[in-house]
Amino acid sequence: TTVGQIAYIYSGNTILLQDVIEDEVVGLQVYDYTRIDEFVIGDVVKITGTTGAFGGVSQVSKVTDIQVLGKKALFKPQEVTVKELLDNGRAFLSEYIVVKDAVLGKFVENGSTPITDGTGTINIYKGPAYPSGVKEGDTVNVYAASSMHYETVQLRMNASSDFQVVKDEVGPEFV
């Protein structure tokens, strides 16, 4: 059983549960695709389930009980650079982050899509499609979960809206 605040939901099956301990943000992934609709960002919850690791990342799965204890102001994403993530990925593991001014690489559906900031390149694993009007080479802020697959740091995202356009140079699109 653990208590924390839901900071982010991604891939339709995983939440980031965060808390602040001794002035440091700490995160834990909760994998529960069967009950994902019961989770609401901002809720402070008590979750009971099975602890273990997947791909080297600690997580709670097979959730047996969810109790909403209240609601708090939303966690703001931690602003990080790609270099910070690559050099010290475990420090941000399972936390809600933003990489600002990232240049989008070629989108790869069901694979790894690279982004590059002024410090390096990192992959978004199975990320959402780019929003309408956004393409490879555009500069965006990327809101995501910091994750790992064993020793490889990667980002996980929820929706196209998690790509925030830095400089919108495209007019409205009529559908």
Side-chain angles (χ1 to χ4, degrees), residues 8-148:
Y8 189 69
I9 300 172
Y10 71 86
S11 295
N13 60 19
T14 305
I15 70 162
L16 293 184
L17 198 62
Q18 288 186 175
D19 202 351
V20 177
I21 299 173
E22 296 179 10
D23 296 325
E24 287 291 322
V25 175
V26 293
L28 178 66
Q29 293 185 26
V30 179
Y31 176 78
D32 190 6
Y33 66 92
T34 62
R35 298 170 68 169
I36 198 71
D37 293 337
E38 295 179 41
F39 298 105
V40 177
I41 293 173
D43 282 354
V44 176
V45 294
K46 179 178 179 181
I47 295 177
T48 302
T50 303
T51 57
F54 180 79
V57 177
S58 296
Q59 69 175 19
V60 175
S61 62
K62 299 178 185 166
V63 174
T64 58
D65 189 42
I66 305 167
Q67 295 177 34
V68 177
L69 304 177
K71 197 167 199 67
K72 283 187 172 182
L74 302 180
F75 264 96
K76 291 183 178 173
Q78 297 173 82
E79 186 176 332
V80 297
T81 65
V82 169
K83 183 173 180 8
E84 288 173 312
L85 290 170
L86 295 176
D87 288 352
N88 200 10
R90 293 219 176 263
F92 301 101
L93 185 60
S94 302
E95 295 175 11
Y96 182 41
I97 59 99
V98 58
V99 176
K100 293 205 169 177
D101 298 320
V103 177
L104 296 172
K106 181 179 180 190
F107 175 72
V108 180
E109 188 174 356
N110 292 316
S112 294
T113 299
I115 64 165
T116 303
D117 69 1
T119 68
T121 300
I122 193 168
N123 286 322
I124 300 166
Y125 181 66
K126 291 188 176 180
Y130 296 153
S132 179
V134 174
K135 63 189 177 320
E136 179 180 350
D138 286 352
T139 301
V140 298
N141 295 332
V142 176
Y143 292 82
S146 174
S147 191
M148 295 181 85

Side-chain angles (χ1 to χ4, degrees), residues 171-175:
E173 180 179 316
F174 298 99
V175 194

